Amino acid sequence: TTGDEQVYRIFARLNSTGLSLNEQEVRNAEYHGAFKTLVYELSFENLDNWRKWSVFSNPAISRMEEAEAVSEYILAMVEGVKGKSQSRITNYYKTNEEEYAHGDLVRQRFDETIGAISQHFGDSISGSAFQRPALFYSLFSAIYHHKYGLASPLRRAKPKPLPRGVQTAFERASKRIRSKDLPDKVQDAMDKATGDKARRDQRHKFVMGALRLEPAN
């Protein structure tokens, strides 16, 4: 079958380099349905952005790290900011294998959020603190929260525009992170940039405040 051939090719490639399959590569081989299709379409459509913004390097992209990140962006959209869990991501693929009822709305909102990031910060992300994948997750989540509201019902809604001066606020926030000009607990969340919920919550709160964003009603 096509799936078997894909698994064989992945194993052959990794065996030749001595690498082991990561979680996303396993998901890519195992699932072929609606949610996986959406994730990989969005990942591919934004390859130029990932590279321009220096969020994911070519080696990272070759290991599908950007696809795993897109999966997490969507999970944040529909469930809110949570700690990183490989089993949670995999379960979402499994649950939405046959169909993904809200796929069109998720795509529309994802594109709107990425479009806003590109418009306001696209020329500033590379070289900023937000090029780090963990902080880009926080940026995406904060922008989405302002426009639509994290974990809000997936129905037609007009996105809220970003506030004036948001680009200047973005650059100021990046400088504060880089210069370690933050309270200890917040700086710890920025520096360690792990996927645990407490630090993600700290980063989310900081980005919302620093960029003067407000949750959508």
Side-chain angles (χ1 to χ4, degrees):
T1 67
T2 301
D4 292 337
E5 291 172 1
Q6 186 176 24
V7 172
Y8 177 81
R9 287 197 300 271
I10 291 172
F11 272 108
R13 174 174 65 84
L14 293 174
N15 286 339
S16 69
T17 60
L19 298 173
S20 300
L21 285 170
N22 63 35
E23 297 277 1
Q24 187 60 36
E25 288 165 330
V26 172
R27 282 188 283 268
N28 180 57
E30 186 172 356
Y31 298 102
H32 309 281
F35 182 67
K36 179 215 169 166
T37 298
L38 175 62
V39 165
Y40 279 82
E41 286 176 353
L42 293 175
S43 300
F44 181 77
E45 289 165 11
N46 285 284
L47 279 179
D48 288 345
N49 285 332
W50 311 138
R51 289 168 174 150
K52 175 185 176 183
W53 299 340
S54 303
V55 176
F56 298 104
S57 64
N58 284 329
I61 291 169
S62 74
R63 298 302 308 272
M64 303 182 185
E65 290 181 21
E66 92 294 354
E68 182 167 288
V70 168
S71 305
E72 282 222 281
Y73 303 157
I74 295 173
L75 281 168
M77 290 165 60
V78 299
E79 297 181 356
V81 173
K82 297 183 183 295
K84 183 163 187 174
S85 165
Q86 294 292 348
S87 61
R88 180 168 157 264
I89 299 170
T90 297
N91 186 61
Y92 204 78
Y93 274 71
K94 182 178 181 179
T95 302
N96 296 287
E97 174 76 350
E98 295 301 322
E99 66 173 331
Y100 192 44
H102 301 295
D104 289 343
L105 268 175
V106 167
R107 170 184 283 278
Q108 181 183 349
R109 291 186 175 195
F110 184 97
D111 288 344
E112 168 68 26
T113 304
I114 288 289
I117 291 171
S118 179
Q119 177 185 350
H120 293 281
F121 320 121
D123 294 332
S124 305
I125 294 174
S126 181
S128 77
F130 292 95
Q131 76 174 50
R132 296 166 63 195
L135 271 68
F136 188 85
Y137 170 94
S138 298
L139 178 65
F140 181 95
S141 300
I143 298 301
Y144 183 87
H145 197 33
H146 177 86
K147 284 186 162 295
Y148 298 104
L150 291 170
S152 61
L154 288 171
R155 58 181 178 231
R156 299 289 174 185
K158 185 177 180 180
K160 187 166 64 174
L162 298 187
R164 291 183 180 181
V166 71
Q167 184 172 355
T168 300
F170 171 91
E171 293 170 356
R172 187 181 301 118
S174 176
K175 288 178 181 177
R176 289 189 67 194
I177 296 169
R178 285 283 175 84
S179 64
K180 301 187 183 297
D181 182 28
L182 296 171
D184 290 345
K185 194 171 184 179
V186 180
Q187 193 68 55
D188 172 78
M190 300 297 172
D191 292 343
K192 294 187 178 176
T194 59
D196 67 90
K197 189 176 189 308
R199 288 192 175 94
R200 279 187 168 177
D201 285 343
Q202 282 286 344
R203 292 194 290 270
H204 182 75
K205 182 178 180 181
F206 170 79
V207 175
M208 291 292 293
L211 272 57
R212 296 178 298 211
L213 305 177
E214 297 179 352
N217 295 326

